[in-house]
């Protein structure tokens, strides 16, 4: 390993983990001198009984019930953020609790930007006033995250993505200050996740860890997080899919996803996320499923640049040290086993992804559009090999039909 | 029953390492809305460090506040003078330049200033109810093992609470000096000890495992790289392991070494270098045990460095350190260690410490070199 000439590692979030870790929530709130938190979640989690569970814990701690907002859409959007920010100010809240997955957590981060950075007497609260690089230059108000999908790692990252429907664009916020104050990892929060989603979000977490370990922004601290994350995910993902009620493997997955989040938040990702983000936004495919399909192809594409790293990872993915190609084969066979365990729902080719009406979500004519759009995704700057339109199209075609990449073609293209 | 998956890992400082890391200080201060930092530096350190810091701040709105130069033998009066200076200048942050004592001084004056307490009242400091000033620790290779932690040790003053964590750690090669090889060898021993203690299987939570893994990676670089880069790697190793170590109860080697250092018998690194091999020999490396697997894993990952065996790494670092201690001096240290630790045993009910000392005594008495002195 070589030391990077410059590296910065930021992970300010306190992590409370364990079975029954939720019991620590009231104590945590009291230790932060928080009196009037705003609890954000979505309707699905309310219906699944998770909101009730959290409120019960708060009440058991003899704290007043928090103000609750459950109208968060699956894709966090600007209008919702501004609406919540006004509610926060109006009700004199002093902190935020986010119960949910990526969308709820990103919404909470964005609300925290507005309520922390806007002038105290501002009449109009608008997230758009704080977009752009280095706009957030101060500590934000307390934010406690209770993640419910062991996958996105959002509870550990410095990023929030919010959709601006009016202008049809995605607003990206990046700042060290976006990391939550504390996060509680409790298996009770992920127990209701169905097996095929457990598989998909688990593969998203695995992709975070592997891309963090192989991309250009890696550093020894993120490496430590990645390796530990991979170990925990590999040891527990299949078991958790097969035994959804097993608390111990659920908790281990949540910890693995959290460590992977810390890793990629400090190193960045690469081609798999570059292409995956675009497949997700154009074809509406679940992010985790995109990641699991694209992961072996992205690694194959980068192989000649990351042979050493993949060889090191074989210890974790194959159980013994093997050649780099062995790591990729291990991921393919993990995907195959997950497909079996989820009765075919965890598909391994883009061709096989279905939408709600059981029609193909990705069509061949989508692929050139995805390739153009993907070039605009910032994450490809950290990919170890350069990427152009033809490369992405080639990779997409392979992932669509499920044939491995011709390594000779790739290397020749970059000579 | 608690398992390694049950833990509360306290948030740790941000770490900025590498070329021009010093230049990030103004940005960081502004993010705390601070612009008037107290500067702490060792009296004997060159004044170029102040100039470098000034140069880093010249394009920002930061005006460096009072500069306090810390003498080698710091007195109680010196501490009070620093706190008075802080009050007079209404400082809003602290930048402490250097590793070791100076970071403990920063944590101590920060606590006294924020609580408006006198040094004599330190025992009754309300640990959890004050917000400290942002503390930026600019580290060099003279590590004492507490810089990035929530602990301070300054003569008889010892404190341990979460408000003591620094906010921001800066590792910049401009802070390194030539001729500090002995100090950096000692730093490596301290870091290695903390890493090994954090690696004890029953305490090895996943997040601690991550940090200790990173520390071992860095220690590997320390062995294999050119001087300044090696020192950067060493300090990174120290910071990573301190973050892990500050989230576990200190192990027996650290505990005994700290007590011996306080009593003035030897330095902490000397005590650690003597005790560490005994500590390691007690750990069971049973095939398949979590500990064995963890060390195996590191050995595999470190295959690109000249040694691929973690135990070899340990002995190399020890050898490197022993080069700086004269042999006869080492026997003297062991003798006083045993006398002192015997005394400690009467007051300690820590079984780990008992086992360690018993092993040390039986080992040492069997050595002919020690026979006469015992
Ligand atoms: Fe992802």
């Amino acid at each position: 390993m070589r030391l990077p000439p410059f590296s910065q590692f930021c992970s300010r979030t306190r992590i409370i983990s364990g079975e029954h870790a939720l019991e620590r929530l009231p104590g945590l709130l009291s230790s932060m001198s928080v009196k009037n938190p705003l609890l954000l979640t979505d309707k699905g989690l309310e219906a699944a009984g998770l909101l009730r569970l959290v409120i019960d814990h708060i009440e058991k701690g003899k704290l007043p019930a928090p103000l609750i907002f459950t109208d968060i859409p699956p894709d966090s959007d600007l209008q919702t953020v501004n609406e919540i920010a006004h509610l926060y100010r109006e009700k004199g809240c002093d902190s935020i609790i986010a119960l949910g997955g990526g969308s709820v957590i990103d919404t909470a981060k964005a609300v925290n930007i507005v309520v922390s950075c806007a002038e105290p007497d501002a009449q109009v609260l608008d997230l758009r006033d704080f977009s752009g690089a280095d706009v957030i230059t101060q500590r934000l108000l307390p934010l406690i995250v209770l993640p419910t999908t062991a996958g996105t790692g959002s509870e550990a990252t410095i990023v929030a993505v919010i959709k601006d429907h009016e202008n049809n664009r995605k607003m990206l916020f990046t700042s060290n200050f976006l990391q939550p104050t504390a996060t509680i990892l409790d298996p009770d929060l992920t127990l209701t996740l169905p097996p095929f989603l457990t598989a998909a979000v688990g593969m998203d977490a695995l992709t975070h860890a592997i891309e963090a370990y192989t991309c250009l922004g890696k550093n020894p601290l993120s490496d430590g997080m990645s390796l530990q994350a991979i170990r925990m995910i590999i040891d527990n993902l299949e078991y958790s899919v097969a035994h959804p009620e097993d608390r111990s493997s659920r908790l281990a997955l949540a910890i693995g996803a959290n460590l992977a989040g810390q890793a990629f938040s400090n190193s960045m990702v690469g081609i798999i996320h570059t292409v995956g983000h675009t497949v997700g936004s154009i074809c509406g495919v679940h992010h985790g499923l995109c990641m699991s399909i694209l992961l072996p192809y992205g690694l194959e594409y980068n192989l000649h640049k990351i042979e050493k790293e993949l060889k090191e990872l074989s210890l974790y993915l194959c159980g013994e040290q093997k050649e780099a190609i062995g790591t990729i084969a291990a991921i393919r066979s993990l995907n195959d086993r997950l497909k079996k365990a989820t009765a075919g729902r965890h598909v391994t080719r883009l061709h096989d992804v279905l939408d709600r009406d059981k029609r193909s979500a990705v069509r061949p004519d989508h692929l050139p559009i995805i390739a153009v759009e993907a070039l605009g995704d910032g994450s490809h700057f950290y990919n170890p090999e350069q990427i152009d339109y033809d490369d992405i199209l080639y990779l997409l075609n392979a992932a669509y039909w499920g044939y491995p990449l011709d390594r000779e073609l790739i290397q020749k293209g970059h000579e | 029953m608690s398992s390694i998956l049950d833990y509360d890992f306290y948030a740790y400082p941000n770490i900025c390492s590498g070329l021009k890391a010093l230049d990030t200080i103004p940005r960081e201060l502004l993010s705390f809305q601070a612009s008037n930092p107290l500067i702490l530096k060792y009296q004997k350190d060159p004044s170029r460090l102040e100039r470098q810091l000034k140069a880093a701040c010249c394009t920002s709105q930061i005006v460096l506040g009072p500069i306090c130069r810390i003498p080698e033998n710091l007195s109680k009066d010196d501490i009070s003078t620093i706190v008075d200076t802080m009050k007079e200048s209404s400082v809003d942050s602290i930048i402490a330049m250097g590793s070791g004592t100076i970071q403990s001084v920063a944590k101590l004056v920060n606590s006294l200033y924020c609580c408006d307490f006198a040094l004599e009242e330190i025992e009754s400091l309300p640990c959890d109810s004050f917000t400290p000033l942002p503390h930026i620790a600019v580290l060099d290779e003279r590590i004492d093992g507490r810089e990035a932690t929530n602990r301070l040790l300054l003569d008889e003053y010892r404190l341990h609470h979460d408000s003591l964590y620094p906010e921001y750690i800066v590792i910049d090669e401009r802070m390194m000096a030539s001729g500090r090889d002995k100090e950096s060898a000692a730093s490596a021993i301290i870091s290695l000890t903390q890493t090994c203690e954090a690696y004890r299987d029953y305490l090895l939570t996943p997040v601690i495992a991550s940090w200790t893994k990173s520390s071992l990676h860095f220690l590997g670089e320390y062995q294999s790289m050119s001087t300044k880069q090696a020192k950067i790697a060493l300090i990174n190793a120290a910071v990573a392991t301190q973050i892990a170590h500050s989230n576990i109860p200190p192990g027996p080697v650290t505990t005994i070494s700290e007590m011996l250092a306080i009593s003035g018998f030897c330095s902490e690194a000397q005590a650690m270098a003597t005790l560490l091999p005994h500590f390691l020999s007690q750990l069971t490396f049973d095939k398949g045990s979590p500990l064995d697997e963890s060390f195996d894993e590191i050995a595999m990952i470190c295959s690109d460095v000249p040694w691929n065996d973690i135990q070899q790494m340990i002995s190399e670092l020890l050898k490197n350190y022993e080069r700086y201690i004269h042999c006869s001096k080492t026997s003297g240290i062991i003798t006083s260690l045993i006398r002192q630790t015997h005394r400690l045993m009467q007051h300690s009910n820590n079984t780990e410490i008992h086992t360690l000392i018993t092993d040390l005594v039986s080992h040492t008495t069997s050595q002919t070199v020690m026979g006469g002195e015992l």
Side-chain angles (χ1 to χ4, degrees), chain A residues 1 12 17 139 231 262, chain B residues 5 7 11 167 217 297 304:
Chain A
M1 184 207 311
R12 281 199 176 120
S17 148
R139 300 220 140 178
R231 160 147 287 186
Q262 293 190 55
Chain B
L5 303 185
Y7 58 85
E167 285 282 350
H217 269 225
E297 215 172 277
D304 58 329

Side-chain angles (χ1 to χ4, degrees), chain A residues 1 5-12 14-15 17-19 24 137 139 177 220 225 228 231-232 262 316, chain B residues 5-9 11-12 14-15 17-19 27 31 167-168 206 210 213-214 217-218 221 297 304:
Chain A
M1 184 207 311
F6 180 84
S7 71
Q8 196 155 359
F9 194 91
C10 176
S11 247
R12 281 199 176 120
R14 178 174 175 180
I15 308 157
S17 148
E19 293 192 30
R24 308 272 300 273
T137 55
R139 300 220 140 178
F177 299 105
M225 301 281 158
Q228 189 61 33
R231 160 147 287 186
M232 304 208 66
Q262 293 190 55
Y316 295 81
Chain B
L5 303 185
D6 291 321
Y7 58 85
D8 182 354
F9 195 84
Y12 28 81
N14 276 4
I15 304 157
S17 162
L19 290 171
R27 185 200 65 198
S31 75
E167 285 282 350
Y168 193 59
S210 309
K213 255 173 219 173
S214 300
H217 269 225
F218 279 122
E221 295 297 308
E297 215 172 277
D304 58 329

Side-chain angles (χ1 to χ4, degrees), chain A residues 1-4 7-11 212-213 218-229 259 262-264 266-267 316, chain B residues 9 12 15 17 171 188 191-192 194-196 198-199 204-225 229-245 294-295 297-299 301-302 304-305 307 310 313 317:
Chain A
M1 184 207 311
R2 292 225 56 80
L3 281 188
S7 71
Q8 196 155 359
F9 194 91
C10 176
S11 247
Y213 197 77
K218 75 194 236 103
N219 62 67
L221 291 175
S222 65
D223 284 353
M225 301 281 158
S226 293
L227 293 177
Q228 189 61 33
L259 290 169
Q262 293 190 55
F264 90 86
N266 283 286
S267 69
Y316 295 81
Chain B
F9 195 84
Y12 28 81
I15 304 157
S17 162
I171 305 169
S191 304
L192 182 65
Q194 292 185 331
T195 304
C196 293
Y199 244 99
L204 196 64
T205 69
V207 67
I208 288 177
S210 309
W211 286 98
T212 42
K213 255 173 219 173
S214 300
S215 173
L216 284 165
H217 269 225
F218 279 122
L219 280 175
E221 295 297 308
Y222 167 67
Q223 295 263 304
S224 64
M225 287 188 319
Q229 277 283 291
K231 286 178 176 177
I232 295 266
L234 173 64
I235 303 167
N236 271 288
V239 171
T241 197
Q242 286 177 26
I243 286 169
H245 202 256
S294 312
F295 279 143
E297 215 172 277
I298 300 294
I301 298 158
C302 294
D304 58 329
V305 292
W307 32 266
I310 191 69
M313 169 183 176
L317 287 172

Side-chain angles (χ1 to χ4, degrees), chain A residues 151-152 204-205 207-208 264 269 273 277 287-288 291:
Chain A
T152 65
D204 182 24
T207 309
H208 293 153
F264 90 86
V269 283
H273 272 82
H277 285 151
H287 176 69
M291 292 298 103

